[in-house]
Amino acid sequence: MTTATLAFDARDLKAWLPRYGVYLAIVLLVLYNVFFTPYFLTWSNLRIQLIQVAPIVIVALGMALVIGTEGIDLSVGSVMALAAALIPLYLGYGVAGAILVSLLAGVAVGLINGVLVARVGLQPIVATLALFVGGRGLAVVISEGKLKDVRNPDLITLGSGDLLGIPILVWIAAALVLVVAFLVRRTVFGRRLLAIGGNRPASELAGLPVKRVLITVYVLCSVLASIAGLLSVARIQSSDASAVGLLIELSAITAVVVGGTPLTGGRVRVLGTVAGALLMQLVIATMIKHNLPPSTTEMAQAVIILIAVYVARERKTR
């Protein structure tokens, strides 16, 4: 094999890994579990894994949109907590009313984040950090710091019911994946989002509505987090504002990065984000089933993140 061929293969591999490496990792991890993890292929186990990963997928979809604009949203966990705190207060008006209020809370937080980033000019990490801290505090105040049981059967069905043998929670997550994929790939909004993430100054010079698109992206991210929050309440049948969505922003960012979406913006890999969330869930589940301590799981996640960032690194000049 010539030196030129080796160089070509290396370049080809470097281009292939960011796009497909996460799928290869999932295949290898599944094969390992098939042979070395008892009862891995049972439907009860697979069902549990899908239910646990669904809220992370939903939050990660919104995070992927934000990262696609070269931003970040640290407030998604607090938005989940706000949604969880509001649900019990408004269930007396019906499930639809409680869900609507929770979604409106997500819209409000997204508007605040978007305005701070797009119009005030704050760095996304700074703008969303304020609500990362204050949002959960507000949720705890609303819930009076108490864990509240949720007994509404219609809401509980969303979190624990099945449709055609598959959890409704998973169906909802799958539907949102399709919606976000369509939004990114087939709409003018999606093309503008990617253009802004790729080169914001050029987008402004081209006359694109940069500020409006950025505000919309942060609103969508917060609304998706609200959906994840209310579904989490439906699944566990209780509302605990101090625990719902805790540190999920880290899981969401990890899923997006591992899935191949660059932190430099300009691209959004929706299916890759889903695969990234599945991979991290499989890693955690595998280590738990083999009785490894939580510290080992956390170190493994850190290594995966570092590898993903290294492989997917891109220069803004490209």
Side-chain angles (χ1 to χ4, degrees):
M1 186 176 290
T2 65
T3 303
T5 303
L6 287 172
F8 174 78
D9 290 343
R11 290 195 300 271
D12 197 42
L13 180 62
K14 187 177 180 180
W16 183 87
L17 279 176
R19 185 182 292 268
Y20 302 110
V22 64
Y23 304 107
L24 175 62
I26 288 175
V27 170
L28 294 175
L29 194 54
V30 167
L31 288 175
Y32 172 83
N33 279 287
V34 167
F35 290 106
F36 299 105
T37 303
Y39 311 111
F40 175 76
L41 287 181
T42 61
W43 172 241
S44 61
N45 176 63
L46 296 178
R47 188 178 189 278
I48 290 172
Q49 302 308 319
L50 289 173
I51 289 174
Q52 290 179 340
V53 80
I56 298 174
V57 168
I58 294 171
V59 175
L61 290 172
M63 189 68 72
L65 294 177
V66 173
I67 290 177
T69 65
E70 201 182 4
I72 202 80
D73 190 345
L74 299 180
S75 68
V76 288
S78 296
V79 174
M80 287 183 65
L82 276 172
L86 291 169
I87 282 286
L89 294 180
Y90 290 91
L91 272 178
Y93 299 95
V95 173
I99 291 175
L100 179 60
V101 170
S102 296
L103 295 180
L104 288 176
V107 171
V109 173
L111 281 173
I112 294 171
N113 286 335
V115 169
L116 289 176
V117 171
R119 297 196 177 276
V120 179
L122 292 181
Q123 290 292 327
I125 193 171
V126 175
T128 59
L129 181 62
L131 284 168
F132 166 79
V133 177
R136 187 170 295 277
L138 177 60
V140 172
V141 170
I142 291 173
S143 64
E144 299 177 340
K146 299 176 182 178
L147 186 149
K148 298 184 178 181
D149 292 332
V150 174
R151 299 301 181 193
N152 186 285
D154 294 329
L155 183 65
I156 291 173
T157 298
L158 293 177
S160 58
D162 285 2
L163 178 63
L164 301 177
I166 298 175
I168 294 176
L169 182 64
V170 176
W171 283 112
I172 294 173
L176 291 173
V177 169
L178 294 177
V179 170
V180 173
F182 177 81
L183 188 68
V184 171
R185 298 182 181 181
R186 302 295 182 184
T187 66
V188 173
F189 172 80
R191 290 193 290 272
R192 288 174 173 174
L193 183 157
L194 298 179
I196 292 168
N199 194 325
R200 181 172 173 177
S203 298
E204 291 174 340
L205 291 174
L208 296 182
V210 174
K211 294 179 181 179
R212 188 169 72 231
V213 170
L214 286 175
I215 291 172
T216 303
V217 165
Y218 281 92
V219 169
L220 288 174
C221 183
S222 291
V223 168
L224 287 167
S226 293
I227 294 172
L230 66 90
L231 289 176
S232 295
V233 170
R235 180 171 65 88
I236 62 179
Q237 301 179 26
S238 64
S239 171
D240 185 358
S242 63
V244 171
L246 188 64
L247 298 181
I248 198 171
E249 53 277 342
L250 301 182
S251 299
I253 294 170
T254 300
V256 174
V257 173
V258 171
T261 296
L263 291 171
T264 50
R267 293 183 187 176
V268 175
R269 301 198 187 281
V270 176
L271 292 181
T273 296
V274 177
L278 289 172
L279 176 62
M280 301 311 295
Q281 177 62 32
L282 281 172
V283 169
I284 294 171
T286 300
M287 292 191 170
I288 290 174
K289 289 182 180 296
H290 289 271
N291 298 317
L292 293 173
S295 57
T296 304
T297 303
E298 292 167 358
M299 287 188 290
Q301 288 179 284
V303 170
I304 292 172
I305 295 170
L306 290 174
I307 292 173
V309 171
Y310 176 79
V311 171
R313 71 194 189 284
E314 295 184 15
R315 293 182 179 179
K316 286 291 290 178
T317 55
R318 288 185 182 179

